[in-house]
Amino acid sequence: MNEALLRELVPAVIGVLVRRGAGFAAAEDAVQEALIRALETWEADPPRDPKGWLVAVAWRKFLDSARAETSRRGRELAVEEEPAAGPVSATDDSLWLYFLCAHPSLSPGSAVALTLRAVGGLTTRQIAAAYLVPEATMAQRISRAKRRTTGQPLDRPGDPGTVLRVLYLVFNEGYSGDVDLAAEAIRLTRQLVAATEEPEVSGLLALMLLHHARRASRTGADGRLVPLAQQDRSHWDTVLIAEGVAILQAALARDRLGEYQAQAAIAALHADAPSTAETDWVQIVEWYDELLQLTDTPVVRLNRAVAVGEADGPRAGLAELADLDPNLPRHIAARAYLHERAGDLGQAADLYAEAARVAATVPERDHLTREAARVRQALRS
């Protein structure tokens, strides 16, 4: 894989897309998607014409994105033109659509996938990544959900828990880069909080606010990812943090713990700490133990392993990671971090480089590549 060649081709490919009618920002996004695809496939099957391959893939990515945006706008316009529904006239139409797409005839997983695609505006690839399944598998799941609801009246609201899950995933996707998506998820969750006294709804809002408060510090001026330990905490939004903590405390006082409240408690401990070293990692591990009782997922176990590495030492964290699937996203990066903390710099550098090769996004890949270079420089010093 010649990454130098990729970097040289980027301006030319963006120029081709712009000349074909794509806006510069949209062209840049499409080319980044094409670069990710190139990193996944070129090593095993390099193209004869790298530039032509990038142009073709990036143009398809641009068209897919443009069609999705056009469809989303059309749905929004259609909703605005509909007369107000009788019993829910005071409820935001967007939120009502979330409930309608969480159709009772669908399983929770299928309802979430369909809602993310039809209302949330996420691509099938984005949804598949959130569920840790192949894109083809998710495409089949969404198609089955569409067929199942064809011809059925969409007049019965679905499960509130399914809607919470959708809002959570939409926020996570927005928090990864699209600020408008994150803000929309927060707006709709605020409406749910106003309409119900369910503590898990408040827990989800608290979680969103506590994460959103750190958004400005997650990337540098040059767009580079900034890990939590290196973030300038003076840039965190203390107003959002205070609101999130207050909402969380009120939810926990109802003594009906749920997964979003537990996640918010972990986020609150991070927000409360003056630095990474001063974080109450022991309590964070305890909250992860609570979270595992509520939702035992590979991602929760991976995050817990990293927290154990902070609380009990990197060797303890590596022992926890050893019990997890090594193909889990961020598994290699977590091992690299813990090996570095344990002083195994050579192994850490190799693992950072390996994690960069399988990174899901260009910013993440670039960050891990820099980490590998930094550790190798430390080895030579």
Side-chain angles (χ1 to χ4, degrees), residues 3 218 224-231 310 332-341 344-357 359 362-380:
E3 295 191 13
R218 293 183 71 246
R224 293 185 176 189
L225 291 180
V226 181
L228 178 63
Q230 299 172 21
Q231 289 177 15
E310 298 286 359
I332 302 173
R335 285 169 54 208
Y337 170 73
L338 291 173
H339 273 293
E340 181 184 357
R341 288 198 61 236
D344 308 328
L345 299 188
Q347 190 165 3
D350 290 342
L351 287 169
Y352 276 128
E354 183 181 352
R357 287 193 290 271
V362 171
E364 183 181 0
R365 182 204 67 195
D366 292 346
H367 167 70
L368 291 168
T369 300
R370 288 191 296 270
E371 292 294 278
R374 175 183 60 78
V375 176
R376 288 198 176 106
Q377 180 61 38
L379 271 172
R380 291 193 291 267

Side-chain angles (χ1 to χ4, degrees), residues 9-231:
L9 290 174
V10 165
V13 177
I14 291 176
V16 171
L17 265 65
V18 170
R19 288 193 293 274
R20 289 186 178 183
F24 183 81
E28 193 174 45
D29 289 344
V31 171
Q32 286 187 350
E33 295 279 353
L35 289 175
I36 293 172
R37 184 62 178 161
L39 289 169
E40 293 173 345
T41 61
W42 280 18
E43 188 169 351
D45 185 23
R48 296 179 182 177
D49 179 6
K51 179 182 176 182
W53 188 98
L54 284 173
V55 168
V57 173
W59 184 247
R60 285 198 299 270
K61 295 290 185 182
F62 165 73
L63 291 177
D64 289 344
S65 177
R67 292 188 187 108
E69 179 64 17
T70 299
S71 297
R72 187 176 67 82
R73 289 176 183 169
R75 289 192 299 271
E76 290 176 350
L77 290 173
V79 170
E80 290 175 0
E81 292 172 0
E82 287 289 326
V88 291
S89 58
T91 303
D92 183 87
D93 284 340
S94 298
L95 184 58
W96 185 239
L97 281 175
Y98 276 72
F99 273 94
L100 292 181
C101 282
H103 199 271
S105 68
L106 298 175
S107 68
S110 295
V112 169
L114 179 61
T115 311
L116 289 172
R117 188 71 183 92
V119 185
L122 304 189
T123 65
T124 303
R125 183 183 61 80
Q126 289 171 316
I127 302 168
Y131 273 87
L132 307 181
V133 299
E135 184 174 349
T137 300
M138 183 54 65
Q140 292 175 354
R141 185 180 301 178
I142 293 172
S143 295
R144 285 195 299 267
K146 289 179 179 178
R147 289 196 298 270
R148 190 172 183 84
T149 56
T150 298
Q152 296 197 36
L154 293 177
D155 57 358
R156 293 181 295 159
D159 173 47
T162 300
V163 175
L164 283 185
R165 181 66 178 166
V166 173
L167 290 170
Y168 172 73
L169 292 173
V170 168
F171 175 81
N172 280 348
E173 191 62 38
Y175 190 61
S176 299
D178 189 331
V179 178
D180 291 336
L181 266 182
E184 175 68 0
I186 291 173
R187 183 181 73 86
L188 295 177
T189 306
R190 285 189 186 279
Q191 291 186 358
L192 268 181
V193 168
T196 179
E197 295 185 357
E198 171 57 47
E200 264 296 78
V201 179
S202 297
L204 178 58
L205 178 58
L207 176 63
M208 289 178 174
L209 295 176
L210 289 164
H211 277 302
H212 207 56
R214 304 203 303 259
R215 181 183 59 82
S217 62
R218 293 183 71 246
T219 54
D222 56 359
R224 293 185 176 189
L225 291 180
V226 181
L228 178 63
Q230 299 172 21
Q231 289 177 15

Side-chain angles (χ1 to χ4, degrees), residues 223-276:
R224 293 185 176 189
L225 291 180
V226 181
L228 178 63
Q230 299 172 21
Q231 289 177 15
D232 184 348
R233 300 188 179 215
S234 67
H235 290 167
W236 290 2
D237 190 328
T238 55
V239 173
L240 283 184
I241 290 173
E243 183 185 5
V245 169
I247 291 171
L248 172 63
Q249 289 174 339
L252 291 175
R254 299 173 195 170
D255 200 23
R256 282 188 290 161
L257 184 64
E259 61 174 296
Y260 300 122
Q261 295 169 72
Q263 290 186 59
I266 294 169
L269 287 168
H270 283 300
D272 184 58
S275 67
T276 300

